[in-house]
């Protein structure tokens, strides 16, 4: 049901791009019940982004997080949002006024960006949309495009543990979200080469992993911290 609304096809027995940007915005507002700004503010803080930095948002969707990141890095910084969905990118462009915040079509597993192009890479609620066999490759791409010393923040949907809540997620959103293997994010990040890894949960339903690309400056000591 949710899948048909968002994807324009029955849900996500398989992952994929989201086709209906406005429906996604309505769904996000309802699912987060007024807590979206606070939750995404925590993601911004966890990313450790600072004024003047270059940020990449992978699977940016409608650009909500990208815009918040842009306000944090300011006009001296820049934010690039990447998503394969044409409607999502169009919506993001139409709703963005922040300086230096731009959007382009593209795939996480094959980023069209040179090595070391960014100081910070973020991704929220997107990894479970990547094809399962390409998730490790996508995180390797995040590593490649970060400069040495650059930081990654990977946040994704954490399924509930209880039986009835899990069944509800399954009924509404399908098996991809119900069984989302967020415990694999940290091994993927380690395999990609990230170090100084840490992870945690944010209410109501996010799990995150942070890491640093070895070399260069600005390791963990420069990262922001919040509690869930
Ligand atoms: C649930 S939305 C999250 C959007 C946004 N990051 C947020 O937090 O609101 C997931 C997004 O991942 C995108 N996506 C799907 N497959 C992708 C891929 N292979 N590479 C990058 N993004 C992808 C979808 O099109 C969709 O916009």
């Amino acid at each position: 049901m949710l899948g048909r609304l968002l994807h324009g096809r029955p849900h996500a027995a398989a992952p994929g791009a989201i086709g209906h940007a406005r429906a996604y915005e309505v769904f996000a507002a309802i699912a987060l019940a007024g807590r979206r700004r606070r939750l995404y503010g925590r993601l911004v803080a966890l990313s450790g982004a600072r004024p003047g930095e270059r940020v990449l948002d992978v699977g940016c969707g409608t650009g909500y997080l990208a815009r918040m990141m842009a306000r944090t890095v300011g006009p001296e910084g820049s934010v690039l949002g990447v998503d394969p969905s044409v409607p999502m990118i169009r919506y993001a462009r139409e709703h963005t006024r922040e300086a230096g915040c731009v959007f382009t079509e593209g795939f996480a597993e094959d980023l069209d960006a040179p090595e070391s192009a960014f100081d910070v890479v973020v991704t929220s609620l997107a990894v479970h949309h990547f094809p399962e066999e390409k998730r490790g490759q996508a995180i390797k791409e995040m590593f490649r495009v970060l400069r040495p010393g650059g930081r990654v923040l990977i946040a994704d949907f954490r399924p509930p543990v209880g039986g009835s809540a899990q069944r509800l997620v399954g009924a509404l959103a399908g098996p991809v979200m119900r069984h989302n293997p967020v415990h694999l994010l940290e091994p993927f990040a380690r395999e990609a080469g990230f170090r100084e890894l840490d992870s945690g949960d944010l209410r109501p339903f996010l799990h995150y992993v942070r890491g640093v690309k070895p070399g260069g400056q600005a390791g963990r000591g420069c990262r922001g911290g919040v509690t869930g």
Side-chain angles (χ1 to χ4, degrees):
M1 132 191 193
L2 185 59
R4 189 179 295 281
L5 190 68
L6 298 180
H7 296 250
R9 59 183 159 76
H11 199 278
I18 286 186
H20 293 164
R22 198 166 296 278
Y24 176 73
E25 281 300 286
V26 171
F27 169 69
I30 293 169
L32 287 166
R35 290 179 288 187
R36 194 181 190 189
R37 179 177 295 275
R38 186 159 160 259
L39 179 64
Y40 280 68
R42 290 179 167 190
L43 294 179
V44 172
L46 282 166
S47 78
R50 295 181 297 261
E53 290 196 313
R54 302 160 300 167
V55 177
L56 174 68
D57 180 3
V58 181
C60 62
T62 53
Y64 190 90
L65 177 61
R67 284 187 287 280
M68 289 187 82
M69 296 296 299
R71 294 195 282 276
T72 297
V73 300
E76 305 300 316
S78 62
V79 179
L80 174 64
V82 172
D83 199 289
S85 164
V86 173
M88 289 299 225
I89 291 295
R90 189 185 310 126
Y91 185 103
R93 286 180 179 146
E94 285 172 2
H95 289 79
T96 298
R97 301 285 171 268
E98 287 76 3
C101 185
V102 296
F103 299 91
T104 188
E105 289 157 36
F107 289 89
E109 59 271 25
D110 184 20
L111 292 172
D112 185 13
E115 282 179 29
S116 302
F118 299 97
D119 303 297
V120 176
V121 173
V122 294
T123 180
S124 64
L125 286 172
V127 174
H128 69 277
H129 282 263
F130 306 165
E132 210 169 333
E133 70 284 3
K134 294 188 174 161
R135 292 176 191 167
Q137 172 61 22
I139 293 172
K140 285 180 181 160
E141 279 289 88
M142 297 176 198
F143 184 89
R144 181 182 67 78
V145 301
L146 270 174
R147 68 164 169 82
R151 291 143 282 146
V152 72
L153 171 70
I154 304 164
D156 201 15
F157 179 75
R158 168 174 51 87
V161 277
S164 53
Q166 211 178 58
R167 277 194 294 280
L168 182 65
V169 168
L172 284 172
V176 171
M177 285 181 82
R178 179 177 175 175
H179 301 296
N180 190 28
V182 279
H183 61 280
L184 293 180
L185 293 177
E186 190 161 334
F188 278 146
R190 188 178 308 285
E191 196 184 319
F194 287 109
R195 295 295 176 261
E196 301 186 48
L197 294 170
D198 75 344
S199 61
D201 292 337
L202 292 177
R203 284 190 295 270
F205 48 61
L206 285 186
H207 179 73
Y208 71 84
V209 173
R210 299 191 291 177
V212 177
K213 181 168 176 171
Q217 295 177 335
R220 182 185 295 265
C222 297
R223 296 199 297 187
V226 294
T227 50

